[in-house]
């Protein structure tokens, strides 16, 4: 088979986009409906009738906002959501798994924008059918102006060596003569640009996410991608050529791919512009729409469809490269078998909101009619007086009337149904609580029998409610968060070849993801009961008590590391971010050395206090003996400290040696792979 042409690829991509879920069926119509319901807008099923009650029930918003604190506690708390676990007992693999866990968790949850990204991701999945994030590598240029004064030739050489791998421009060097030393010094000023690769995570609005309809998963879908609007100036800054940018079509108001979700979302701020334009009409601010697509297609004509990354606008392709990964992670609150997109909490609650809105409007209309009844009026009564409402007003009547005044005007009675409507609303609330698990503290209980309700009975109801929320959290962890963590580890190991320094658990760590070589097992730490920290801490305290008993009995079942793991989980359950503030890790040499050093210092201080307490002048011999013991203890403590420091240095040297050997071995293998495959392989020496 011949290699595919660019026009053929554009045709396939255009057809695949048209088959995306957001452009077929009721997918986007339902998402719009659920977002309207969340905001309580009077449209669709909640459209108001003139001169009647227009109240809208807030069940969808109530359920979503009731879920968010629990979900935030699970996914934005101090504990690790996802952990990478080594498949063997190999020490290098175990250390790499720990390093990968800390680094990926730092990327996902400890960036300045992490809270908002995860919060929006969770909330999108609560309201819409799914919530989506996208992760990618972004190359950044850090520019810094550096100045040095009075630098000698040795220091000048060291500065030059430190700038290897950086771009330096605008260099200004001034020679300064020193009369006293007759040594030539220099004043240096230059601008240095350091290139850094950073992993970015962004939210993808549901109306921009593209996935082949009826797909079973993201990895199986023929097409996955998103549509984004950028200005021509932004594309130029990203490195695209001006002549190519000029060929891209400007977004217009007749774009058939527009949805109204963005307008619903921004309704309180005047809605969104349908054509995406701004008041600035210059070339740099003109908007173009970009399709960032990951599609399975046989582009090279070998008969096998492979995943490719294609970025296009209109009929113009900007990027076309092999990329065997789908860099998106999707969440759905309720998973559906054999479907990539499930159901949301809003979708489940929507029928209840429609029912309650109808009941509330009927009840309020009834109350209004009861408070403002219509009247039956005889012809002899002045209608103008009847229609004029004022305090102590007068209603005139024909003096020749043959009927009595009390018979001429009387109200048309409207029966009050508020009490019966409240009973129906209570039933609907109970049905919603059973369906969604979202209930108020006393919801559904008979007021006259509240004192008869037992604590265990209500705890059972509460446990059943919590179980539904915890199942949603487990769905999120096992699908979207697992995909996100695995994807970032995959992306970093292949494309991030720069050293990254970060702080975790109060310590500074430095990692180079391109040196990772193991595929680790991934474990989720979110399960039933994970959201209830009080129960978790209580259970861990019981485990710790059992561990203490086993150690006291000399049992080999428990060691210090097991106790440390239990205490660490307790600290995480309490929501405290740094376990090192409270306990030392027995497997960390630096922490163990510090703890033993403090213990030795305390021993020396105690001996000094004992010597000072000897006030008997006749006990010189004993005092001398005690001082000798003190000196001996101090010497032993210092020797032990020196020995431990030597062991620590030996350990550090051994680790550095192993890392150098590993990097050299990997560079050799990558170089051989590049030579054999004739393809550019990141990390090779060629």
């Amino acid at each position: 088979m011949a290699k595919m042409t660019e026009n053929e690829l554009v045709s396939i991509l255009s057809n695949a986009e048209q088959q995306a879920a957001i452009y077929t069926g009721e997918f986007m119509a339902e998402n719009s409906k659920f977002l309207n319901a969340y905001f309580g807008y009077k449209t669709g099923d909640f459209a108001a009738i003139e001169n009647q009650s227009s109240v809208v029930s807030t069940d969808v918003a109530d359920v979503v906002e009731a879920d968010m604190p629990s979900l935030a506690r699970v996914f934005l708390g101090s504990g690790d959501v996802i952990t990478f676990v080594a498949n063997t007992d190999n020490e290098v693999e175990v250390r790499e798994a720990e390093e990968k866990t800390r680094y990926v968790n730092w990327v996902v949850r400890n960036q300045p924008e992490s809270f908002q990204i995860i919060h929006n991701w969770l909330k999108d999945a609560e309201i819409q059918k799914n919530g989506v994030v996208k992760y990618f590598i972004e190359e950044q240029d850090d520019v810094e102006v550096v100045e040095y004064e009075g630098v000698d030739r040795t220091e000048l050489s060291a500065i030059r060596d430190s700038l290897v791998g950086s771009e330096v421009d605008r260099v200004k060097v001034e020679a300064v003569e020193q009369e006293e030393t007759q040594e030539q010094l220099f004043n240096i000023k230059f601008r240095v640009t350091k290139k850094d690769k950073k992993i970015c995570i962004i939210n993808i609005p549901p109306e921009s996410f593209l996935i082949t309809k009826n797909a079973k998963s993201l990895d199986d879908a023929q097409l996955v991608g998103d549509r984004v609007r950028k200005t021509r100036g932004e594309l130029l800054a990203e490195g695209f050529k001006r002549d190519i940018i000029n060929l891209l079509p400007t977004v217009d108001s007749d774009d058939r791919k527009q949805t109204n979700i963005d307008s619903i979302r921004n309704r309180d701020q005047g809605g969104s512009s349908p054509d995406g334009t701004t008041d600035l009409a210059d070339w740099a601010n003109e908007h173009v729409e970009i399709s960032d697509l990951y599609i399975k297609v046989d582009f090279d004509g070998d008969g096998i469809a492979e995943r490719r990354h294609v970025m296009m606008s209109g009929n113009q392709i900007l990027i076309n490269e092999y990329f065997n990964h789908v860099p998106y992670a999707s969440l759905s609150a309720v998973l559906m078998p054999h479907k990539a997109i499930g159901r949301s909490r809003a979708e489940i609650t929507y029928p209840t909101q429609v029912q309650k809105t109808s009941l509330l409007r009927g009840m309020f209309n009834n109350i209004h009619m009861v408070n403002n009844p219509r009247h039956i009026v005889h012809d002899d009564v002045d209608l103008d007086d009847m229609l004029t409402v004022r305090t102590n007003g007068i209603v005139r009547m024909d003096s020749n009337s043959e009927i009595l005044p009390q018979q001429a005007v009387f109200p048309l009675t409207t029966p009050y149904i508020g009490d019966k409507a409240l009973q129906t609303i209570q039933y609907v609330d109970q049905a919603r609580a059973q369906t969604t698990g979202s209930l108020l503290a006393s919801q559904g209980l008979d007021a006259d029998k509240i004192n008869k309700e037992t604590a265990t009975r209500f705890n059972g109801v509460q446990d059943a409610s919590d179980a539904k929320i915890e199942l949603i959290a487990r769905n999120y962890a096992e699908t979207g968060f697992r995909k996100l963590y695995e994807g970032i580890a995959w992306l970093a190991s292949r494309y991030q070849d720069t050293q990254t320094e970060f702080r975790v658990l109060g310590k500074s760590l430095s990692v180079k993801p391109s040196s990772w070589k193991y595929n680790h097992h991934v474990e989720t730490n979110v399960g039933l009961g994970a959201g209830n920290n009080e129960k978790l801490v209580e259970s861990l305290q019981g485990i710790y008590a059992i561990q203490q008993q086993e150690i006291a009995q000399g049992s080999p079942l428990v060691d210090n590391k097991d106790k440390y793991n239990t205490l660490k989980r307790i600290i995480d359950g309490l929501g405290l971010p740094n376990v090192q503030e409270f306990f030392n890790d027995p497997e960390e040499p630096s922490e163990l050395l510090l703890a033993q050093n403090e213990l030795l210092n305390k021993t020396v201080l105690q001996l000094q206090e004992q010597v000072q307490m000897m006030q008997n002048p006749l006990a010189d011999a004993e005092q001398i003996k005690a001082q000798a013991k003190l000196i001996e203890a101090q010497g032993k403590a210092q020797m032990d400290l020196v020995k431990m420091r030597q062991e620590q240095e030996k350990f550090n040297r051994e680790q550095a040696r192993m890392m150098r050997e590993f990097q050299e071995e990997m560079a050799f293998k990558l170089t051989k792979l590049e030579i054999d495959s004739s393809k550019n392989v990141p990390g090779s020496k060629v």
Side-chain angles (χ1 to χ4, degrees):
M1 297 177 64
K3 184 177 180 180
M4 187 178 298
T5 65
E6 189 170 288
N7 290 335
E8 290 174 336
L9 180 60
V10 169
S11 177
I12 291 175
L13 291 172
S14 299
N15 183 63
E17 279 193 79
Q18 292 175 8
Q19 297 300 316
I22 66 172
Y23 302 135
T24 58
E26 298 294 323
F27 181 78
M28 292 308 296
E30 291 191 354
N31 273 340
S32 301
K33 182 173 66 175
F34 303 147
L35 190 60
N36 268 319
Y38 173 82
F39 286 118
Y41 292 149
K42 301 175 179 62
T43 59
D45 293 329
F46 308 105
I49 300 175
E50 188 177 358
N51 297 326
Q52 292 192 21
S53 174
S54 61
V55 65
V56 176
S57 181
T58 59
D59 293 79
V60 168
D62 293 343
V63 171
V64 170
E65 297 305 326
D67 288 355
M68 288 304 297
S70 298
L71 297 175
R73 183 167 60 246
V74 172
F75 294 105
L76 294 167
S78 58
D80 292 337
V81 177
I82 301 292
T83 304
F84 292 90
V85 181
N87 295 310
T88 67
D89 293 332
N90 185 318
E91 292 185 5
V92 177
E93 184 179 358
V94 171
R95 285 196 298 271
E96 183 180 304
E98 294 176 351
E99 181 181 278
K100 190 179 292 185
T101 298
R102 292 177 179 178
Y103 177 70
V104 176
N105 189 68
W106 174 77
V107 170
V108 175
R109 299 178 22 172
N110 291 280
Q111 305 304 307
E113 67 278 6
S114 292
F115 178 88
Q116 188 170 2
I117 289 172
I118 295 177
H119 176 276
N120 293 347
W121 190 21
L122 296 171
K123 199 158 190 174
D124 268 343
E126 288 278 301
I127 301 174
Q128 316 280 235
K129 284 180 171 290
N130 68 325
V132 181
V133 294
K134 177 182 178 181
Y135 48 93
F136 54 93
I137 288 281
E138 183 177 68
E139 190 169 293
Q140 298 177 330
D141 292 341
D142 293 332
V143 181
E144 181 182 6
V145 177
V146 183
E147 294 185 41
Y148 293 99
E149 294 183 359
V151 176
D152 59 26
R153 293 186 179 276
T154 303
E155 293 172 331
L156 183 63
S157 177
I159 293 172
R160 182 187 60 194
D161 294 340
S162 68
L163 297 174
V164 174
S166 304
E167 296 181 3
V168 180
D169 59 359
R170 298 183 184 178
V171 179
K172 181 180 180 181
V173 180
E174 295 178 351
V176 180
E177 296 291 343
Q178 297 290 326
E179 297 180 357
E180 298 179 357
T181 61
Q182 296 183 351
E183 182 181 6
Q184 190 176 32
L185 302 180
F186 303 91
N187 295 336
I188 308 172
K189 182 177 181 180
F190 57 88
R191 189 179 72 170
V192 58
T193 302
K194 295 183 178 180
K195 293 186 177 296
D196 186 27
K197 291 182 178 179
K198 177 185 177 183
I199 296 180
C200 299
I201 306 173
I202 60 173
N203 295 108
I204 301 298
E207 67 272 18
S208 300
F209 180 60
L210 303 172
I211 183 172
T212 306
K213 66 178 182 180
N214 303 328
K216 295 181 180 179
S217 68
L218 293 184
D219 293 328
D220 293 337
Q222 181 192 10
L223 173 74
V224 181
D226 68 284
R227 298 177 64 86
V228 61
R229 290 182 176 180
K230 294 186 177 182
T231 64
R232 298 187 190 274
E234 290 174 339
L235 293 174
L236 188 64
E238 291 177 7
F240 294 102
K241 296 181 179 179
R242 181 182 287 268
D243 56 347
I244 295 179
I245 297 174
N246 286 331
L247 298 176
L248 306 183
T250 304
V251 177
D252 55 43
S253 58
D254 296 329
D255 188 352
R256 63 176 177 82
K257 295 182 175 64
Q258 289 301 311
T259 65
N260 66 337
I261 287 188
D262 192 47
S263 296
I264 297 171
R265 188 182 295 117
N266 296 303
R267 178 176 172 179
D268 60 337
Q269 298 179 25
S272 60
S273 175
D275 58 1
T277 58
T278 64
D279 294 335
L280 301 175
D282 60 316
W283 181 89
N285 287 287
E286 289 180 353
H287 281 75
V288 297
E289 192 159 43
I290 306 294
S291 296
D292 194 14
L293 309 175
Y294 297 82
I295 185 170
K296 283 185 177 179
V297 63
D298 180 20
F299 181 76
D300 54 10
D302 62 356
I304 300 175
E306 67 272 355
R307 184 77 66 180
R308 299 189 70 83
H309 174 210
V310 182
M311 183 180 290
M312 61 179 289
S313 178
N315 294 326
Q316 185 69 39
I317 291 181
L318 302 176
I319 294 176
N320 179 14
E321 61 185 3
Y322 174 78
F323 196 86
N324 190 28
H325 188 74
V326 178
Y328 296 86
S330 175
L331 297 178
S332 288
V334 180
L335 302 182
M336 296 299 294
H338 320 298
K339 294 183 67 175
I341 298 175
R343 306 178 69 192
S344 67
R345 296 282 278 173
E347 182 176 357
I348 294 174
T349 313
Y350 187 85
T352 301
Q353 181 159 323
V354 174
Q355 295 168 7
K356 278 190 65 177
T357 297
S358 178
L359 290 170
L360 288 172
R361 288 181 177 179
M363 184 177 68
F364 290 147
N365 286 335
N366 175 254
I367 293 174
H368 180 76
M369 293 175 67
V370 170
N371 291 338
N372 302 278
R374 299 165 66 191
H375 291 79
I376 298 175
V377 183
H378 194 271
D379 291 341
D380 294 336
V381 176
D382 191 321
L383 293 181
D384 290 337
D385 290 345
M386 285 295 301
L387 295 175
T388 302
V389 180
R390 65 165 63 95
T391 305
N392 297 324
I394 298 174
V395 177
R396 290 171 292 184
M397 186 174 177
D398 191 343
S399 59
N400 297 323
S401 177
E402 298 179 356
I403 63 172
L404 299 175
Q406 58 269 28
Q407 295 176 334
V409 178
F410 56 91
L412 181 62
T413 304
T414 300
Y416 175 68
I417 61 169
D419 52 347
K420 296 178 176 60
L422 286 173
Q423 291 178 0
T424 308
I425 290 173
Q426 186 183 42
Y427 166 77
V428 173
D429 282 339
Q430 290 176 341
R432 187 198 76 182
Q434 184 175 358
T435 302
T436 64
S438 179
L439 72 163
L440 299 176
S442 59
Q443 187 169 298
L445 301 181
D446 187 344
D448 295 332
K449 298 181 179 179
I450 273 186
N451 293 331
K452 299 180 182 179
E453 293 294 332
T454 63
T456 55
R457 185 266 186 193
F458 186 73
N459 285 341
V461 175
Q462 188 65 42
D463 290 342
S465 172
D466 291 344
K468 293 181 181 292
I469 308 300
E470 289 159 1
L471 178 59
I472 293 172
R474 185 63 180 266
N475 290 342
Y476 288 167
E478 293 287 357
T479 55
F481 277 86
R482 176 188 285 267
K483 176 72 166 62
L484 178 61
Y485 275 68
E486 289 179 332
I488 288 179
W490 182 91
L491 199 66
S493 64
R494 286 162 175 78
Y495 296 98
Q496 190 172 4
D497 54 2
T498 57
Q499 197 85 2
T500 302
E501 294 185 358
F502 62 100
R503 294 191 67 83
V504 60
L505 297 177
K507 295 186 298 183
S508 177
L509 298 178
S510 179
V511 300
K512 189 175 183 180
S514 60
S515 65
W516 295 341
K517 64 177 182 179
Y518 294 99
N519 291 323
H520 296 97
H521 173 66
V522 176
E523 288 185 355
T524 59
N525 301 321
V526 176
L528 297 180
N532 193 329
N533 287 1
E534 294 181 1
K535 291 183 179 179
L536 179 63
V537 171
E538 183 179 349
S539 300
L540 289 171
Q541 287 174 340
I543 293 174
Y544 185 75
I546 296 175
Q547 290 175 332
Q548 292 281 64
Q549 295 175 2
E550 292 295 319
I551 289 181
Q553 296 173 4
S555 173
L557 297 177
V558 181
D559 57 19
N560 287 333
K561 182 61 177 179
D562 297 327
K563 291 171 58 180
Y564 173 80
N565 291 337
T566 303
L567 294 171
K568 181 177 183 299
R569 293 293 300 274
I570 291 175
I571 295 300
D572 290 341
L574 293 173
L576 302 174
N578 193 355
V579 67
Q580 271 68 27
E581 293 182 0
F582 306 95
F583 306 104
N584 293 316
D585 188 345
E587 291 187 355
E588 287 287 342
S590 59
E591 295 182 14
L592 186 60
L593 177 64
L594 180 61
Q596 292 176 345
N597 187 22
E598 291 179 355
L599 182 61
L600 290 172
N601 289 336
K602 289 181 180 179
T603 303
V604 172
L605 290 175
Q606 290 175 356
L607 291 172
Q608 290 175 343
E609 291 176 357
Q610 291 177 4
V611 171
Q612 292 175 359
M613 292 176 62
M614 295 180 180
Q615 302 296 332
N616 186 357
L618 299 178
D620 292 339
E622 293 296 329
Q623 185 174 359
I624 294 173
K625 184 178 179 181
Q627 290 176 345
K629 289 183 179 180
L630 173 61
I631 295 172
E632 181 182 359
Q634 290 176 332
K636 184 177 182 302
Q638 292 176 353
M639 291 178 63
D640 290 341
L641 182 59
V642 170
K643 183 179 179 181
M644 282 187 287
R645 286 176 176 170
Q646 291 175 347
E647 292 176 352
Q648 176 66 29
E649 292 174 356
K650 181 180 178 181
F651 174 83
N652 292 339
R653 288 195 300 269
E654 182 66 14
Q655 289 292 101
R657 183 188 64 79
M658 292 175 62
M659 182 57 68
R660 286 195 303 270
E661 292 178 354
F662 168 71
Q663 292 176 347
E664 292 174 357
E665 180 184 358
M666 286 302 299
F668 174 79
K669 291 182 178 179
L670 292 173
T671 303
K672 185 176 183 301
L673 178 61
E674 180 171 341
I675 295 173
D676 294 341
S677 62
S678 299
K679 295 181 179 180
N680 184 28
V681 178
S684 71
K685 292 185 176 181
V686 178

